[in-house]
Amino acid sequence: MDQVEFRDKRRRDMFNLTGKVALVTGASYGIGYAIAKGLAQAGAKIVFNDINEELMNKGLESYKADGIDAKGYVCDVTDEDAVNKMVKDIEETVGVIDILVNNAGIIKRIPMHEMSAEDFRKVIDVDLNAPFICAKAVIPSMMKKGGGKIINICSMMSELGRETVSAYAAAKGGLKMLTRNICSEYGEFNIQCNGIGPGYIATPQTAPLREPQADGSKHPFDSFICAKTPAGRWLNPEELVGPAVFLASSASDAVNGHILYVDGGILAYIGKQP
Ligand code: NAP
Ligand code: GCO
C-alpha cells in the first residue's frame, strides 16, 4: 500500500462503524430510519424500536428491502422498565450498545394558553424524559466497555421559539442542556454526547405544515420556511446522515457536548427584506 492509499484508508476508517451496535429510537420511518440506514451503510449493526407494533414490523420490512439486517423492538421510550428490559435484551443477544441515537419524538402544536398541562407533560415525557431514560440505560455498559456515542436529536426549537410549540421548545431546549451535561459527566469515560439540530425536514411530523391549501396554493408555513432558509427549501432526512455518521464515529472523538445544526442556514439568517 503506498502512502496515498494508506492515508485514504485511514480517512475512510475514521468513519467506519463496522462491529458497532447502534440503537436508534423511533426509527421505523422518518429521520430515525434515514439515520439508522446511514449508520448501517457505514457498517453498524442496527437495532431500533417503535411504540407501535405494526409500524415496527413495517420498519423491519423497509430495512430488509434496503438490505439491512436490523433488529426491531416494540418499546415505549418513556417507560423506564421497558427501556431497561430492551437494553438488557440487546446486550445479551446483539452486544453492548456503542451508539445510541435518541430520535423518538412528538410535537403538539397548540397555543400555550389553550394547552392542557397533561399535553405539555406528554411532550416533555417523550422529548426530554425519554432521552434521559435511554441514555441512563446504556451508559453503565458504555463505561465498562471504555466508551460510547450518544446522539440526541434536538431541533431549531433548541434555540428558537415560535407560536404553538411551547412544550416542544421547552423539551428540545432541555435536551440541548442534557446533551451538555452528559458530556460533562461522562466525558472522562470516553463517552461523547452530541446533538443534531435538524432544520425543517420533510417527514410525517411536519406534513401538516406543508399541506397545500384548498385552492391548491402552498401552505403559508411552507412558503415561510422556504423564505427563512437560505437553502430556499425543506431538507430531506437523508441530509442528516453525514452528520450522524460523523458523530457516531471515531472521527468525532474530540467533539463533545456540541449541537450540530443541520438547518440549511436558518440560524445564521435574519431573513429577506420584504
Ligand atoms: P416522526 O416522523 O413523527 O417520527 C417519530 C418517530 O418516533 C415515530 O417512529 C414514532 O412512532 C416514534 N415515537 C414517538 N413516540 C414514541 C415513544 N413514546 N416510544 C417510541 N417511539 C416513539 O418524526 P421525525 O420528523 O422523523 O422526527 C424524528 C426526531 O427528529 C424527533 O425527535 C423530532 O422532534 C426531531 N426533529 C424533526 C424535525 C422535522 O422537521 N421533521 C426537525 C427537527 C427535529 P409512532 O409513529 O409509532 O408513534
Ligand atoms: C414546528 C416544527 C418544528 C420542527 C423542527 C424544527 O412546528 O415549528 O414542527 O418544531 O419539527 O423541530 O427544527
Side-chain angles (χ1 to χ4, degrees):
M1 191 184 301
D2 67 20
Q3 278 195 14
V4 174
E5 276 175 323
F6 181 80
R7 272 201 300 273
D8 278 353
K9 182 176 178 325
R10 198 166 55 184
R11 216 173 291 130
R12 275 198 310 273
D13 285 352
M14 262 198 270
F15 298 97
N16 192 340
L17 301 178
T18 303
K20 303 287 183 191
V21 175
L23 168 62
V24 186
T25 66
S28 300
Y29 61 90
I31 289 175
Y33 184 83
I35 288 179
K37 187 175 158 189
L39 298 181
Q41 283 163 347
K45 166 76 188 171
I46 299 302
V47 186
F48 74 102
N49 73 296
D50 198 299
I51 189 170
N52 173 310
E53 184 164 13
E54 203 184 322
L55 288 175
M56 190 279 285
N57 283 325
K58 267 196 183 160
L60 272 180
E61 280 169 27
S62 308
Y63 285 106
K64 204 167 164 206
D66 277 330
I68 297 164
D69 176 27
K71 182 160 188 182
Y73 287 81
V74 178
C75 174
D76 177 350
V77 285
T78 66
D79 178 341
E80 186 165 18
D81 289 342
V83 168
N84 287 341
K85 199 163 159 254
M86 171 175 72
V87 168
K88 188 166 178 281
D89 195 76
I90 296 168
E91 289 181 351
E92 285 170 5
T93 59
V94 187
V96 166
I97 295 162
D98 301 286
I99 302 157
L100 165 67
V101 183
N102 277 315
N103 167 78
I106 59 167
I107 190 165
K108 289 181 189 284
R109 298 185 185 96
I110 306 169
M112 196 184 102
H113 65 283
E114 291 170 8
M115 189 171 206
S116 67
E118 196 191 332
D119 274 342
F120 192 93
R121 276 194 209 101
K122 178 71 193 160
V123 174
I124 300 286
D125 211 21
V126 181
D127 293 357
L128 181 56
N129 293 342
F132 156 76
I133 288 170
C134 294
K136 184 183 159 194
V138 302
I139 282 173
S141 295
M142 285 182 173
M143 285 164 77
K144 269 190 221 134
K145 192 170 176 179
K149 302 275 184 181
I150 299 174
I151 303 172
N152 292 327
I153 304 302
C154 296
S155 164
M156 291 291 88
M157 272 62 214
S158 300
E159 298 293 335
L160 302 170
R162 89 169 183 86
E163 56 277 17
T164 75
V165 296
S166 57
Y168 186 79
K172 294 293 187 178
L175 187 56
K176 172 178 71 178
M177 286 314 300
L178 179 66
T179 303
R180 291 181 180 163
N181 214 81
I182 294 172
C183 148
S184 308
E185 208 164 340
Y186 298 101
E188 65 176 302
F189 297 99
N190 191 32
I191 294 173
Q192 288 85 46
C193 179
N194 292 288
I196 292 178
Y200 279 82
I201 317 289
T203 69
Q205 195 217 61
T206 51
L209 305 174
R210 283 175 283 109
E211 224 155 68
Q213 303 293 84
D215 65 1
S217 63
K218 254 183 154 184
H219 192 297
F221 196 87
D222 187 349
S223 311
F224 163 68
I225 284 304
C226 292
K228 192 75 193 85
T229 311
R233 61 176 176 84
W234 288 71
L235 309 181
N236 300 311
E238 288 69 30
E239 293 180 292
L240 301 168
V241 169
V245 170
F246 167 63
L247 292 178
S249 70
S250 64
S252 62
D253 280 354
V255 180
N256 207 353
H258 184 76
I259 311 296
L260 177 47
Y261 289 102
V262 185
D263 63 353
I266 293 177
L267 290 177
Y269 187 42
I270 194 169
K272 240 191 195 78
Q273 182 189 304

